[in-house]
Amino acid sequence: MTSQLAPTAAQSARAATGGRRRGRGVSQRRVRLLFLAPAALFLLLFSLFPLLQLLRMSVSAVTARTLNAEWLFTGLENFRRSFDGGEGTDALLRTGIFVLVVTTLGMLLGLAAAIALRTRGRWSAALLALMVFVWALPPVVNGSVWKFLLGDRGLFNMIVLELGLRDSPMPFLYSQYWALMSVAFVNSFAVIPFNALVFRAALMNIPPETFEAAALDGVNKWQEVRHVMLPSVRPTTLVLLVLTLVYGFRSFDFIYVMTYGGPGTATNTLPFLGYLQAFARYDFGLGAATSVVTVLGVLILAAVYARSIRREEAES
Amino acid sequence: MNHAKAGPVTSTVKVLLTFMYGVPILWIVLTSLKSSRDVFSSRTSLLFRPEITAYVDALDGALADALVQSVLIATGTTALVLFIAIPAAYGLARTRGWITTLGLGLLIVLQMMPQTATVIPLFQIFGDWRLLDHTIGVIIADTALLTPFATLLLRPFFRAVPRELEEAGAIDGATILRTFWSVVLPVARNGAFTVGTLVFLLAWGEFLYAVNFFLSPGSYPLSALLAQQVSAFGIDWPGLMALAVLTSIPILLVFTATYRLLRDGLTVGAVK
Amino acid sequence: MTPTTRSAPSLAARAASRATNTSERGSGSRNGRRRAVGLTASALAAALALAACGGGGGDGDTGGTGGGGEGGGTVTVWHYFSDDNQVRLMDEFAAKFEGEREGVTVENVYVPYDEMNSKVIAAAGSQTGPDVVVFNGAETATLALAGALAPLDDYWADYEDAGQFPDSVIHQVEDQTYAVQGYVNLLGLWYNAEILAEIGVEPPTTIEELEDAMAAATDAGYSGITLCGLPQGQGEWQAYPWLSAEGFTYDAPDAAALEAGLARVRGWVESGWLSQQAVTWDQTVPFQEFAAGGVAFAENGNWQMGTAESDARFEYGVVPLPLGADGQVYLGGEGQGIGAYSQNPDLAWEYLTATYLDAEGQLLPVEIVGSIPSRSDAAQDEMVTGNELLQPFAETIETYGANYPSPAIPPESVGDVQLTVGQAWSAALGGQQSPADAAQNVVGQLERLGG
């Protein structure tokens, strides 16, 4: 389809190069929208139905009994139930803290890693490979490893106890205050390699001349980062920010492996709560409502993203 | 970037990262060489008699079959995702207006969908279309999962391509498709490689779709074999860690290959 | 499906269980509850006795009563076993059936535990699925309500050995039978005999003795006990014995009893007998901790025999959990059912009667994984009665055995109740909530769920 239409469009584009700039812009734009066709078609076929089902589920009473039968429309009942007991509100608050930690650590250390690993050399290459290797390990492996490392007889407590900093082990995973921080840390750990890799790819796209020019101006390292690198990777930073936020908002694997939301409910974030509601309590409607709330939360952030993109486009 | 000399800050970051990622790997390798009784004993945390039993046990016929499945799924998914996401990312990078905004918003929403919530509806679709229990079904599901992610990630790379390059192509009389293929794509290739690698690695590790959409025995990929080490009745820690190491070796190979390509590709094709 | 013809044994069994329920609900007094437990035990004993007379002749022949004996076919069995021994058991079952029925193949398909329910339910939504499902018996209600299991009542009514099976292993949802268990798994108190010898105590028979022993073990530099404190079903399953020992039941949830149970075990954490880390432990890790040595006791199941044998470098033993007069121990294990969309349910039934439900077949899990047969004739086999480690578990069934999940919980709420109690257990052990708050919270939720 695209290949048939493209030449005609190009002809008209060529015809337009002479005078009518505006006409050419419109037709080019149409052609470029055709580039979206495969993705639109594919996602329409395989992603839209699940999305609609999720939305429909969130406003229906769906339990194990009715999942494979007719769903009864109940309006906003699921949302009301989710927030009535305080369960949803608590989870929302925890999710906020969790996402904040994951995003901050993930973005800062990701960028720091990318800058540090920009240098050539064996150490950088090996370290990057190591990070990607760890990133690609399944959560059950990474989560279990950290569960051991953060346990009473794990490495960190061994150090803490040997150094005499404390006389009892740090309750990394079983104190209600520490547990959320620990899982957030491990989630950041898991997202840093990804962010580093993408930041690095963006940094490498900066033409060497830019750095040379900066060097001639006699900028120091920090100024180079601040005034050369950061502005150049701004579009990547924005998209990574969104992806990291999304990652934080939907992450539940590590919580599942490391704490199962515990102790008690101390690490029940929204995605994990949604999982529990749908697959431990078999209240699929309630679980779907929780997921929809999470999606809405992210959409608000996405609107901010869209605005900054528009600003970025206005600038360019 | 040959000018960059490692300063003290850089070195500190590198040491920190080496520690942060080296310790877990070390722990994984050590555990994979232990006997299951040594895993929980504090006396044997570092000093123990290494065994390769876990590796020997892991290397059986099932591993080879699963490896083939993993290769099929991961390469199929990567190819399909790139085929779909590259043009989409380019389209979204070069247009503006409500369609673009809507498209980006939708991609974010899709990226937010909990994977667990997609299993049951997709099962219905695949059941109707007779795609259940076929590798292509899992490839399609993984593609649907990873396309939003890949598109969002690729877009900035296409935006970074200078418009003048394209306009020059258009003046030369090349079609948009040709300009895209011969001018834009080579410049954005860095991003495409990176995203392709990431998609490959994610598809390699994807597990939920694989265990749900395959129905007959012996069709699971490696990621599902890993899950078998953990059950409600016992966790074979050495087995899990040995298998984690084994199944990640291909990942390392793929990454090293693309890393070379990336580095060399850059020096050759650096933007003028 | 055809309307069910209700079989005599299942009716009797339900009558027995109803009798238990009403008597428990009727009298809040300790006395009444003790009688109720006695009743369950005697019902079980009656079933055992009945089996002993009737089952004698049924040993030899295979249960080919299911009709429809036409030629070959394939039986697809979905299971979640990945442990070597349990995989071997599945293979042996397959070989047994294939050996007895010519031209039939059995395909065992592994599905990860966490994905089993959603996969079976999703498959049922697409009108497909396995012939036989082997799943966590406690989840019968979920699968049955989702329409993923075929009712077994017709087969069960015609099954000549039905009387061999006690009520607690027959899973009924809304008066229809959906699954039967071929064996029973349950919790006991594992002890490290060397530590007990060193501190000079006998394996405990009362909860006070247990606490004294844990205190002595801790003083001698060991840990007291390991158990599962995860905020989910596994936690509830391990919590229930201690909670019921203080008088808590689902028939008449009493906040004070629940608080007493939670407070007791929270006390173990505060005394340093139980690591607070237990809230991150599933059932596997605490036993591995126990097997690594240095821990006096472990609350864990009969299925850990293999791990104990391979990993523990010390003398160990098992006694029933010391739960006093009111205590209850769930009788868990996998349920076996027929998929609602099985192409050949008759063949699936034949597979079940030749393997899980067969008297000889039931001895395979005893031998391979150390489970306790559900048939009363098989339970009296030398292999069970002569096994020192199995004996305390068999004894527990008699003294403390309780249906899992409790019949007092409405089928839709099983998952909800287990999660709620599991979370309270974890919250109390981990210090997120005081035992009193956790108990209040649970009782409030149970009332809402109509427990």
Side-chain angles (χ1 to χ4, degrees):
Chain A
M1 191 159 96
T2 322
S3 57
Q4 267 182 351
L5 279 171
T8 18
Q11 276 158 16
S12 65
R14 202 187 309 155
T17 25
R20 298 160 31 222
R21 271 195 79 87
R22 200 160 150 253
R24 175 189 148 219
V26 167
S27 70
Q28 276 208 341
R29 191 183 147 213
R30 267 195 208 134
V31 175
R32 291 211 170 100
L33 281 179
L34 278 178
F35 278 82
L36 303 181
L41 190 70
F42 189 88
L43 295 179
L44 197 71
L45 281 176
F46 297 105
S47 296
L48 200 67
F49 179 59
L51 182 65
L52 292 179
Q53 287 290 79
L54 184 74
L55 288 175
R56 200 157 74 83
M57 218 179 235
S58 69
V59 291
S60 313
V62 189
T63 61
R65 190 195 294 270
T66 48
L67 182 69
N68 290 330
E70 200 74 14
W71 297 354
L72 186 72
F73 178 79
T74 53
L76 297 179
E77 175 67 13
N78 288 325
F79 295 90
R80 197 189 56 76
R81 276 200 299 152
S82 184
F83 283 88
D84 248 14
E87 205 178 30
T89 325
D90 290 349
L92 189 65
L93 189 70
R94 287 186 204 110
T95 313
I97 299 171
F98 178 87
V99 168
L100 194 70
V101 174
V102 172
T103 312
T104 314
L105 281 182
M107 292 299 286
L108 286 181
L109 283 176
L111 182 65
I115 293 172
L117 296 180
R118 226 167 35 88
T119 51
R120 280 213 176 181
R122 277 169 204 278
W123 190 8
S124 294
L127 183 51
L128 195 64
L130 175 71
M131 287 172 70
V132 171
F133 186 87
V134 171
W135 176 75
L137 288 172
V140 60
V141 172
N142 275 331
S144 304
V145 168
W146 279 102
K147 200 169 165 175
F148 275 101
L149 290 176
L150 295 173
D152 276 355
R153 280 185 281 131
L155 181 76
F156 291 91
N157 272 318
M158 245 156 66
I159 296 171
V160 169
L161 295 175
E162 284 297 313
L163 292 180
L165 297 176
R166 277 173 69 102
D167 46 4
S168 63
M170 292 283 292
F172 287 117
L173 290 173
Y174 52 85
S175 130
Q176 54 172 322
Y177 306 108
W178 276 99
L180 190 65
M181 288 301 130
S182 300
V183 285
F185 165 75
V186 175
N187 269 279
S188 328
F189 162 87
V191 82
I192 288 169
F194 167 75
N195 286 358
L197 204 65
V198 179
F199 267 133
R200 186 174 162 277
L203 286 177
M204 297 188 94
N205 263 356
I206 304 175
E209 294 82 8
T210 317
F211 286 105
E212 283 158 19
L216 284 179
D217 290 345
V219 300
N220 64 24
K221 264 257 133 51
W222 172 245
Q223 288 169 327
E224 187 184 86
V225 171
R226 175 78 184 74
H227 298 293
V228 180
M229 295 189 192
L230 281 185
S232 319
V233 298
R234 204 172 150 257
T236 310
T237 311
L238 275 174
V239 80
L240 274 184
L241 186 65
V242 168
L243 286 176
T244 311
L245 281 172
V246 165
Y247 171 81
F249 265 105
R250 61 175 282 179
S251 168
F252 98 111
D253 291 331
F254 287 102
I255 295 178
Y256 182 93
V257 174
M258 294 174 67
T259 63
Y260 205 88
T265 51
T267 49
N268 267 2
T269 57
L270 282 175
F272 193 74
L273 182 67
Y275 167 82
L276 285 181
Q277 288 165 337
F279 292 99
R281 290 159 62 173
Y282 299 102
D283 194 333
F284 296 98
L286 194 59
T290 303
S291 301
V292 169
V293 169
T294 324
V295 172
L296 284 179
V298 171
L299 264 190
I300 295 171
L301 295 169
V304 178
Y305 167 68
R307 260 194 33 201
S308 43
I309 278 193
R310 215 170 292 147
R311 206 180 324 136
E312 161 206 330
E313 274 165 0
E315 280 165 15
S316 71
Chain B
M1 313 295 113
N2 22 23
H3 78 287
K5 238 177 41 196
V9 181
T10 311
S11 298
T12 316
V13 171
K14 279 162 103 175
V15 170
L16 180 75
L17 290 171
T18 310
F19 181 74
M20 211 165 134
Y21 292 88
V23 167
I25 282 289
L26 189 70
W27 199 91
I28 289 174
V29 174
L30 285 181
T31 306
S32 72
L33 294 169
K34 285 180 181 177
S35 66
S36 64
R37 81 176 75 172
D38 284 340
V39 174
F40 279 84
S41 171
S42 49
R43 275 167 296 127
T44 49
S45 53
L46 283 173
L47 295 172
F48 57 92
R49 197 142 43 104
E51 285 182 6
I52 53 160
T53 331
Y55 288 90
V56 176
D57 287 351
L59 287 169
D60 62 357
L63 191 74
D65 291 344
L67 180 70
V68 172
Q69 280 290 1
S70 282
V71 170
L72 283 177
I73 292 173
T75 42
T77 305
T78 312
L80 197 54
V81 167
L82 289 181
F83 176 76
I84 293 172
I86 285 181
Y90 173 68
L92 289 174
R94 279 289 183 260
T95 52
R96 59 179 83 170
W98 66 272
I99 294 189
T100 315
T101 314
L102 185 76
L104 286 174
L106 207 60
L107 288 178
I108 292 172
V109 169
L110 290 179
Q111 178 68 15
M112 269 307 293
M113 280 276 286
Q115 203 190 346
T116 42
T118 57
V119 169
I120 291 174
L122 277 179
F123 206 106
Q124 283 172 18
I125 298 179
F126 291 164
D128 291 346
W129 292 13
R130 314 213 163 277
L131 286 172
L132 281 176
D133 211 17
H134 290 293
T135 311
I136 186 71
V138 177
I139 291 178
I140 288 176
D142 285 355
T143 304
L145 179 74
L146 296 172
T147 296
F149 159 83
T151 312
L152 286 170
L153 207 52
L154 278 166
R155 187 175 170 271
F157 288 98
F158 285 109
R159 281 195 63 83
V161 177
R163 270 177 197 273
E164 300 78 44
L165 281 181
E166 274 179 88
E167 277 160 18
I171 288 166
D172 291 348
T175 64
I176 288 190
L177 196 67
R178 248 196 87 175
T179 316
F180 170 69
W181 184 254
S182 56
V183 178
V184 178
L185 205 51
V187 176
R189 147 183 75 169
N190 209 357
F193 271 131
T194 307
V195 174
T197 311
L198 292 171
V199 168
F200 185 92
L201 300 185
L202 286 170
W204 186 268
E206 197 288 322
F207 150 83
L208 198 63
Y209 288 154
V211 298
N212 274 293
F213 301 143
F214 280 122
L215 304 180
S216 44
S219 3
Y220 288 152
L222 290 172
S223 52
L225 278 196
L226 259 167
Q228 292 198 28
Q229 308 302 311
V230 182
S231 79
F233 291 94
I235 301 174
D236 179 0
W237 294 107
L240 175 68
M241 297 308 163
L243 211 56
V245 170
L246 286 177
T247 56
S248 306
I249 288 174
I251 286 183
L252 209 56
L253 294 178
V254 168
F255 175 74
T256 321
T258 48
Y259 180 78
R260 286 252 163 75
L261 220 64
L262 265 177
R263 204 184 54 191
D264 299 346
L266 252 179
T267 38
V268 178
V271 188
K272 288 275 151 58
Chain C
M1 283 280 141
T2 49
T4 39
T5 43
R6 207 166 279 147
S7 66
S10 80
L11 237 187
R14 277 190 310 111
S17 85
R18 194 177 306 131
T20 320
N21 290 347
T22 46
S23 74
E24 276 185 39
R25 190 173 294 134
S27 60
S29 77
R30 302 208 131 223
N31 212 348
R33 212 171 275 131
R34 189 170 305 149
R35 201 179 322 124
V37 173
L39 221 148
T40 330
S42 68
L44 208 129
L48 290 178
L50 208 144
C53 323
D59 245 353
D61 55 22
T62 45
T65 39
E70 69 276 358
T74 303
V75 181
T76 311
V77 184
W78 285 8
H79 66 89
Y80 52 59
F81 299 119
S82 55
D83 180 75
D84 284 346
N85 286 331
Q86 285 170 324
V87 171
R88 206 182 105 216
L89 174 62
M90 296 304 295
D91 292 343
E92 298 258 344
F93 274 155
K96 183 174 188 293
F97 188 51
E98 286 171 351
E100 285 166 14
R101 282 291 309 270
E102 222 162 287
V104 170
T105 13
V106 176
E107 275 195 346
N108 288 327
V109 181
Y110 163 79
V111 179
Y113 181 84
D114 295 324
E115 305 312 321
M116 179 59 95
N117 286 344
S118 73
K119 185 166 176 174
V120 172
I121 293 172
S126 299
Q127 321 233 315
T128 172
D131 296 306
V132 172
V133 204
V134 181
F135 58 96
N136 180 358
E139 313 254 22
T140 313
T142 306
L143 295 184
L145 292 176
L149 295 177
L152 299 180
D153 301 80
D154 289 348
Y155 294 114
W156 197 248
D158 295 337
Y159 185 43
E160 58 191 12
D161 291 351
Q164 295 278 3
F165 293 82
D167 166 44
S168 60
V169 298
I170 301 163
H171 290 280
Q172 293 191 322
V173 178
E174 298 178 343
D175 293 342
Q176 287 195 311
T177 304
Y178 286 97
V180 181
Q181 285 179 216
Y183 51 83
V184 171
N185 283 333
L186 68 153
L187 296 169
L189 186 69
W190 292 76
Y191 60 88
N192 182 325
E194 290 172 13
I195 294 180
L196 292 204
E198 189 188 320
I199 58 175
V201 297
E202 289 295 307
T205 53
T206 66
I207 213 157
E208 288 74 24
E209 285 175 25
L210 171 65
E211 292 187 336
D212 291 345
M214 289 194 293
T218 313
D219 288 342
Y222 300 107
S223 299
I225 191 169
T226 66
L227 48 76
C228 162
L230 222 50
Q232 39 116 298
Q234 278 187 47
E236 192 267 349
W237 147 273
Q238 289 228 337
Y240 190 66
W242 310 113
L243 305 181
S244 61
E246 302 292 336
F248 175 78
T249 64
Y250 287 108
D251 302 282
D254 173 26
L258 182 57
E259 182 189 336
L262 294 174
R264 180 184 288 280
V265 184
R266 170 66 192 171
W268 299 354
V269 174
E270 281 165 1
S271 311
W273 305 337
L274 167 66
S275 167
Q276 195 174 314
Q277 229 179 322
V279 298
T280 66
W281 285 342
D282 57 10
Q283 291 198 84
T284 297
V285 171
F287 197 78
Q288 289 172 328
E289 292 271 357
F290 169 77
V295 184
F297 298 103
E299 180 197 13
N300 226 301
N302 49 297
W303 63 89
Q304 300 287 14
M305 275 173 206
T307 309
E309 202 181 313
S310 66
D311 288 6
R313 285 186 202 163
F314 51 82
E315 290 290 311
Y316 53 83
V318 182
V319 287
L321 291 166
L323 300 177
D326 289 338
Q328 299 195 337
V329 176
Y330 284 136
L331 303 180
E334 276 70 40
Q336 290 85 38
I338 297 179
Y341 297 94
S342 165
Q343 298 290 320
N344 198 343
D346 290 346
L347 192 64
W349 175 249
E350 281 182 47
Y351 166 81
L352 288 181
T353 51
T355 55
Y356 284 97
L357 305 184
D358 180 55
E360 267 177 73
Q362 289 210 340
L363 296 180
L364 286 170
V366 183
E367 187 198 331
I368 300 173
V369 290
S371 297
I372 298 170
S374 57
R375 285 174 70 114
S376 29
D377 52 356
Q380 275 154 19
D381 190 275
E382 167 70 41
M383 209 182 277
V384 183
T385 53
N387 185 324
E388 230 174 66
L389 285 176
L390 277 181
Q391 214 34 55
F393 289 107
E395 213 177 293
T396 306
I397 297 181
E398 298 256 352
T399 342
Y400 300 126
N403 279 21
Y404 183 54
S406 162
I409 305 173
E412 298 92 341
S413 311
V414 170
D416 233 335
V417 168
Q418 288 181 353
L419 185 71
T420 305
V421 176
Q423 285 179 338
W425 171 246
S426 168
L429 293 192
Q432 194 206 11
Q433 285 181 319
S434 72
D437 290 347
Q440 282 303 336
N441 192 7
V442 166
V443 172
Q445 300 237 35
L446 287 183
E447 272 163 16
R448 238 192 25 230
L449 293 167

